[in-house]
Structures are given as C-alpha cells and as structure tokens.
Amino acid sequence: MISMLKINFYVCVSKFTNKTVKCINSIINQSHIHKTRIYIIDNSLRSNIKKNIEKKIIYKKNVSINILIEKKRGIPFARNRCLKIIRKTKTDFTCFIDDDCELSKVWLKNMLKVYEETKSDIITGPQISKSKNIYENILERKNKHLKKIKWAATNNVFMNSKVLKKNKINFDTQLKKLGGSDQVFFSKLSEKGLIIIWNEKSKVYENRDQKKTNLIWFIKRNMRYGSSSKILYLKIFRPFKAYLLFFAKFISEFLRSLLYLVIIPVSIKKHSLISLQYIIRATATLLSLFNFKFEEYKD
C-alpha cells in the first residue's frame, strides 16, 4: 500500500474554454488518498481563468489549485514556468497534462502501479480522441504496454520529481511556433539515460473541435511533423547522429507510404489516408533539408 504522496499536476492554458474545466475536473476526480496540487499556467492573457475556475470546479479534500500567469506568449514559456515551480517545490511526483485532455478515472491509480512495478523515471501513455474522427485516430500514438521509449509529450506524463530537480534542461523557446518542444525536452532526458516507459492503461482523452479536424488539418499536421524533423534532431543529437536518424526517418516513411499503398484494398479509406500521411511526412522531411518548415502555432 502506497502511503500519502505529494503529487503536483501542471496544466498550461493558451485559451480558457470548457475543455479546460473538464481537464481540471478530471484531475480532481482521481483518487485523493494523496495530496494533490494543481498548477494552472495561464498563457492566454485574454481570460479571467480564476473567476471561471471558481464557478465551475468542484473542490475535494486534499486538492488545491494555484493559478499563475505567464506573460511571455508561447507554450514553451508556460512549460518553463512549470519547471521553475517544480524545482523549488517539495513533491514526490510531477504530472503534465494538456488543457484539452481529460484523464481516465483510473489514470493516477495505474500510473502509480506502473511506477511501483518499473521504478521508471518518466511514464507516459496514449492520448485518444473522444470522437470517431478518422484523421485524429490515424495520428494517435501507439506502443506496447511497458515498452521503453525515447520521448514523451506533455499531454500525458507522470514522473519522479527528482528527475527535474537534478536536470536543468528546459523547453526550447525557439520552437514556440513550430512545436515539438516537449519531444525535444524528453528526448534530451532520455539521452541522459533516464528511463521513459509507455503505460497503455493510463489514457487521456482529447477534446478537439471536430469542425477543424478535416483533411486540410490532417495534411497540415503531417507537414509540420515532417518539416520539423531536421530541426528537432539537431536540437537533440550531435550533427552526425542527427542526420543519420533524419535519413533513416525519410526512408522509413517513404517505404511505409508504399506499403499502405499496396494494401489499400484491405481498408480503402483508412489505408489511403495512412499512405498519404507518410507521403506528406517523407516529402516534408526531405524539403526540410532546404530549410522548409511549417509553423503551425502563432504568437
């Protein structure tokens, strides 16, 4: 039986909506044997989050909420504000959750169980769309349960707080428009020898505007993933290894596009889109050699 722990959650908010409320409530509704503190980092500069939260959140025993403003616009700045708090605060575990995600009811219970089994430094898991949107479903990241992986995303992270106190790596603010600062951050921790484990049983569910998740959105998202490859690899690795992985990625994505092109008859719509996904990524990856990049996020 695990004794009472201090567990802090960090949620960076770029625009306060009902999705944010659902996210916070899903954290509050976890098992509260443990002392839970939620830090909301307001990066919107447009909304009164404190007033809205107080109206719509149902507080529970052992849960407290702190709302802070990060005036520098861009998600890496908000994430770095989290790191400053983490490195000054005494806590056992640190959790990162995106503001448009809801935790499954057993999220914390399963994270603690996997930690007890593996003693991993960082544990991450799936982000699943709440809709049946085929574009989102294709983009969902999938791994085998308890597999050791190379990076995590801030949409679903549970980690030993000591990890961040010992390592002074920050989120790269140069990536505020391109995205991927979380991939670079956790990849650098992995390169230092920290263990990142995939926990299939601790799911988060993403609330996304379905009017925007169409074919154009799908194409743009894959263009960004491909065009960011060179920049992200060079930020994580030394040039030789970065370019080696870069070309391996290009070849892998090109071959995958051909594979799904061949097996299209098995599932015409799904495999056509997957083939298109890898064609776009391979093309954008190659074009990034000539400094092509697709900046999805705005100030």
Side-chain angles (χ1 to χ4, degrees):
M1 183 76 177
I2 300 174
S3 58
M4 179 179 279
L5 300 166
K6 292 182 179 179
I7 303 174
N8 287 4
F9 286 81
Y10 295 85
V11 182
C12 298
V13 181
S14 59
K15 183 179 180 181
F16 183 86
T17 66
N18 284 331
K19 297 174 188 176
T20 311
V21 174
K22 290 178 180 179
C23 173
I24 303 305
N25 277 328
S26 76
I27 297 172
I28 293 173
N29 288 329
Q30 298 298 301
S31 171
H32 291 301
I33 300 168
H34 309 292
K35 188 173 182 180
T36 303
R37 179 169 289 177
I38 304 169
Y39 285 92
I40 301 172
I41 310 301
D42 180 7
N43 196 223
S44 67
L45 307 183
R46 293 187 299 273
S47 60
N48 189 337
I49 287 183
K50 186 174 182 180
K51 184 178 179 181
N52 284 296
I53 286 291
E54 287 174 348
K55 287 182 178 179
K56 299 179 180 180
I57 295 298
I58 300 173
Y59 291 85
K60 291 189 177 180
K61 186 180 178 181
N62 292 334
V63 179
S64 63
I65 297 177
N66 297 274
I67 302 171
L68 303 169
I69 295 173
E70 176 51 57
K71 293 182 179 180
K72 292 181 180 178
R73 287 286 286 154
I75 193 66
F77 291 107
R79 289 168 176 166
N80 284 336
R81 182 70 177 273
C82 297
L83 294 180
K84 288 180 182 179
I85 300 166
I86 293 163
R87 288 165 179 156
K88 292 179 180 178
T89 306
K90 291 184 179 180
T91 182
D92 297 298
F93 295 102
T94 292
C95 309
F96 283 102
I97 305 296
D98 282 356
D99 66 334
D100 59 355
C101 292
E102 293 179 59
L103 305 182
S104 59
K105 291 181 180 179
V106 292
W107 186 90
L108 182 57
K109 179 181 177 181
N110 285 329
M111 282 296 188
L112 288 168
K113 183 179 179 181
V114 169
Y115 179 78
E116 285 297 301
E117 291 174 0
T118 66
K119 300 299 180 185
S120 304
D121 302 297
I122 302 164
I123 305 171
T124 187
Q127 174 183 270
I128 299 171
S129 171
K130 293 191 78 173
S131 75
K132 294 182 179 180
N133 185 299
I134 190 169
Y135 303 110
E136 291 185 63
N137 293 337
I138 287 172
L139 287 171
E140 286 172 6
R141 192 178 178 197
K142 299 174 180 66
N143 282 294
K144 186 178 178 181
H145 185 55
L146 300 183
K147 180 182 178 181
K148 182 180 175 181
I149 57 177
K150 295 294 184 182
W151 61 277
T154 53
N155 55 34
N156 189 352
V157 169
F158 176 95
M159 61 197 303
N160 190 326
S161 296
K162 292 179 182 178
V163 167
L164 297 178
K165 293 181 185 293
K166 292 178 181 178
N167 292 279
K168 301 304 179 183
I169 297 169
N170 289 324
F171 292 94
D172 195 321
T173 56
Q174 293 180 351
L175 297 171
K176 67 176 185 175
K177 292 184 179 180
L178 185 65
S181 65
D182 49 355
Q183 181 179 343
V184 171
F185 176 79
F186 287 106
S187 293
K188 285 183 176 181
L189 291 177
S190 177
E191 283 293 292
K192 282 181 168 288
L194 275 67
I195 304 299
I196 306 176
I197 291 290
W198 182 266
N199 175 11
E200 182 64 28
K201 297 180 180 179
S202 285
K203 298 178 174 67
V204 302
Y205 298 95
E206 184 181 27
N207 290 298
R208 190 186 294 276
D209 186 348
Q210 294 306 299
K211 292 180 180 178
K212 296 180 180 179
T213 50
N214 51 28
L215 181 59
I216 300 300
W217 172 86
F218 180 77
I219 291 170
K220 287 181 177 179
R221 181 56 58 97
N222 282 295
M223 283 177 65
R224 179 171 71 81
Y225 288 160
S227 69
S228 66
S229 301
K230 187 185 77 169
I231 295 171
L232 299 189
Y233 282 151
L234 286 171
K235 286 184 176 293
I236 300 166
F237 310 107
R238 292 182 179 180
F240 178 77
K241 185 175 181 179
Y243 279 106
L244 195 65
L245 290 171
F246 172 85
F247 284 110
K249 176 183 172 66
F250 166 72
I251 293 169
S252 172
E253 288 175 340
F254 179 72
L255 291 177
R256 287 182 182 185
S257 71
L258 294 180
L259 171 64
Y260 280 98
L261 195 62
V262 170
I263 62 172
I264 277 178
V266 177
S267 178
I268 295 174
K269 186 174 182 180
K270 182 178 180 180
H271 288 173
S272 295
L273 286 171
I274 294 175
S275 180
L276 175 63
Q277 168 180 267
Y278 287 120
I279 289 170
I280 293 168
R281 290 190 187 187
T283 303
T285 298
L286 189 62
L287 288 174
S288 70
L289 274 178
F290 306 97
N291 297 320
F292 167 77
K293 57 183 178 180
F294 187 85
E295 294 180 336
E296 188 173 4
Y297 304 107
K298 299 178 181 179
D299 287 328

